[in-house]
Amino acid sequence: MKKFKLRRILIERGAEDDTLAKKMLKGLPDIPREAVEPDDLAQREDIEGMDKETLRIIHFNGEFLKPCPGTRGYICCGYQILNIGINCPMECSYCFLQSYINQPSLRLFTNLEDRLNVIGKIIDSSPDRIFRIGTGEFTDSLCLDYLTGWTDLLLPFFSRRRNCVLELKTKSASIEFLIKSSYRKGIVIAWSLNTPRIIANEEQGTADLKSRILAARECQKAGFVLGFHFDPLIHYPGWAEDSEETVGLLERYIDPGYIVWMSVGSFRYVPDLKWTVKRRFPGTDIFDGEFVPGLDGKFRYFKPIRVEMYTKLSERLRKWYDDLGLYLCMESDDVWTQSLGWSPRNSTNLTNYLDNRARKLMAN
Ligand code: SF4
């Protein structure tokens, strides 16, 4: 299991008595620690460097469960985000957090356990609704499990509810604790995938492609349902041939009958991100393509390039198996139709499509 380097721990006032804080501190006896005030301004100085070797332990007073904000003018999937922390110890050059967060460090919320009651009440009060919930939007769901024990806490809590699916999305191969858990129902373990070149050049500190797929195979053998996310697709000469390597490994190791969904999305970014990334990753060539501003102000590849990428990849995936629950992330109706040959037309229909797949999963 990969462990990440930490050089100091900042314990925000109010977090010191949280169970998860005590557990993490016990597991890191040799790391220097200091008590700090919440949101002290001094910590903002290294925002550009992200300061991922500082662990900040926080008693979070905000909302833990929130709808994914989606993006204006595009079809979104109705996902709910379980906010367990912000930032992760890996380094993807394209990571949107570099322009999204306004405070550095690895920020983990240690009162999660106390707040599960509130989340449970929200879920239980709408028994006819399906909650598709993920922890992997603002951090990686599994790479810190050795420190946080998130799977120990979350699997029993979500697995016993009949109207929700918890998706743990990762770029790691840290499945040791997960596999030991006895909970499976309603749990999806999902990997973000890319071409071997993008993983090697643009996703520092993550597990390599084969390790991710072998970890997925282990999870599948252990009875977990899987999800995969080809996101962000990055266009470069040879990307299609390189994608073949990724799909080939899936074909070789994964049983497609137990995949609940698979999303495809292309690289998109808010204008500010570009300059931060260029400073932090001077060698990157992720901005070399032809980008245009979209309806939401984010830059995306010129539409014909997106359509070409989605069409080629989806055709290849469907050749492998034609019921993978393929969907596009934050795309328009016409891009859906041109790329996949159908469109949900709006966010409500895409939500229903994915909810139905989740229902099928829970019925098994
Ligand atoms: S794994 Fe996700 S959260 Fe971590 S750096 Fe990469 S994109 Fe950002």
Side-chain angles (χ1 to χ4, degrees):
M1 177 195 312
K2 176 165 181 163
K3 294 194 175 176
F4 293 90
K5 185 177 164 206
L6 291 172
R7 67 182 172 85
R8 65 170 178 168
I9 305 172
L10 303 177
I11 308 159
E12 281 196 4
R13 184 169 45 80
E16 59 279 356
D17 294 327
D18 290 338
T19 317
L20 184 51
K22 287 182 184 157
K23 180 188 162 128
M24 285 198 283
L25 291 169
K26 200 171 161 201
L28 298 166
D30 302 326
I31 312 288
R33 58 196 64 186
E34 62 181 283
V36 294
E37 289 300 308
D39 296 327
D40 53 337
L41 291 174
Q43 301 311 320
R44 294 189 186 177
E45 285 167 8
D46 188 30
I47 180 66
E48 177 106 355
M50 300 285 273
D51 197 7
K52 292 185 173 209
E53 291 181 3
T54 294
L55 169 63
R56 193 175 181 102
I57 288 178
I58 298 171
H59 186 94
F60 181 58
N61 289 317
E63 279 177 80
F64 273 77
L65 188 66
K66 269 187 155 174
C68 176
T71 198
R72 198 161 22 97
Y74 295 92
I75 299 175
C76 296
C77 72
Y79 204 62
Q80 299 277 324
I81 297 167
L82 181 61
N83 201 2
I84 55 178
I86 297 185
N87 214 344
C88 103
M90 304 190 274
E91 281 280 20
C92 303
S93 61
Y94 52 75
C95 181
F96 83 103
L97 291 174
Q98 296 168 99
S99 61
Y100 183 83
I101 57 178
N102 59 9
Q103 289 176 321
S105 76
L106 192 53
R107 305 165 72 80
L108 303 184
F109 304 149
T110 48
N111 52 329
L112 171 64
E113 188 170 5
D114 300 341
R115 298 297 284 276
L116 283 178
N117 281 340
V118 179
I119 295 166
K121 276 186 193 147
I122 297 171
I123 295 169
D124 298 345
S125 65
S126 299
D128 297 329
R129 180 181 160 195
I130 297 286
F131 289 80
R132 279 177 287 106
I133 298 171
T135 54
E137 194 66 17
F138 298 125
T139 187
D140 185 278
S141 301
L142 291 180
C143 80
L144 292 171
D145 201 30
Y146 69 91
L147 190 61
T148 61
W150 278 329
T151 53
D152 261 357
L153 185 63
L154 298 178
L155 264 58
F157 180 82
F158 286 100
S159 195
R160 69 187 154 86
R161 294 193 148 74
R162 295 280 67 88
N163 61 330
C164 73
V165 169
L166 176 70
E167 182 178 42
L168 299 173
K169 207 188 286 179
T170 189
K171 286 182 185 132
S172 78
S174 300
I175 55 166
E176 289 83 346
F177 293 106
L178 185 69
I179 296 273
K180 284 187 196 142
S181 157
S182 51
Y183 298 91
R184 301 286 183 270
K185 201 150 180 112
I187 307 296
V188 173
I189 315 299
W191 272 266
S192 298
L193 297 179
N194 222 307
T195 64
R197 171 175 150 171
I198 293 298
I199 292 175
N201 294 352
E202 310 293 346
E203 298 181 352
Q204 292 169 25
T206 64
D208 64 29
L209 175 64
K210 192 163 179 190
S211 303
R212 290 183 208 181
I213 291 180
L214 290 179
R217 181 171 77 154
E218 283 305 301
C219 284
Q220 194 169 57
K221 282 197 333 209
F224 287 102
V225 168
L226 303 181
F228 292 99
H229 301 279
F230 282 85
D231 201 344
L233 291 184
I234 292 175
H235 192 260
Y236 60 87
W239 77 268
E241 294 73 16
D242 289 356
S243 298
E244 175 55 36
E245 206 174 316
T246 307
V247 181
L249 279 173
L250 283 174
E251 230 168 15
R252 182 161 166 203
Y253 291 111
I254 303 297
D255 178 348
Y258 296 92
I259 293 174
V260 62
W261 46 60
M262 210 178 237
S263 75
V264 183
S266 60
F267 178 44
R268 50 208 177 268
Y269 62 93
V270 295
D272 279 357
L273 182 74
K274 183 169 179 176
W275 309 114
T276 307
V277 173
K278 289 218 166 218
R279 281 192 293 269
R280 296 193 71 228
F281 302 92
T284 187
D285 51 13
I286 57 173
F287 298 103
D288 284 359
E290 199 179 339
F291 291 95
V292 287
L295 297 168
D296 53 1
K298 287 182 191 159
F299 281 82
R300 289 171 164 74
Y301 289 115
F302 186 44
K303 198 197 284 184
I305 299 174
R306 293 180 354 246
V307 169
E308 183 209 332
M309 294 178 90
Y310 299 149
T311 306
K312 278 193 178 154
L313 184 59
S314 61
E315 280 174 356
R316 177 62 186 91
L317 288 166
R318 281 167 167 164
K319 214 166 102 187
W320 173 37
Y321 192 70
D322 67 0
D323 187 25
L324 290 168
L326 275 181
Y327 68 98
L328 299 183
C329 191
M330 296 183 201
E331 275 299 353
S332 59
D333 179 40
D334 62 326
V335 169
W336 267 83
T337 308
Q338 287 178 53
S339 310
L340 299 192
W342 77 285
S343 165
R345 306 208 79 82
N346 55 47
S347 299
T348 307
N349 290 341
L350 178 57
T351 298
N352 291 338
Y353 167 72
L354 294 171
D355 285 354
N356 286 336
R357 292 196 62 96
R359 276 197 186 90
K360 225 161 78 183
L361 166 79
M362 287 179 293
N364 290 331

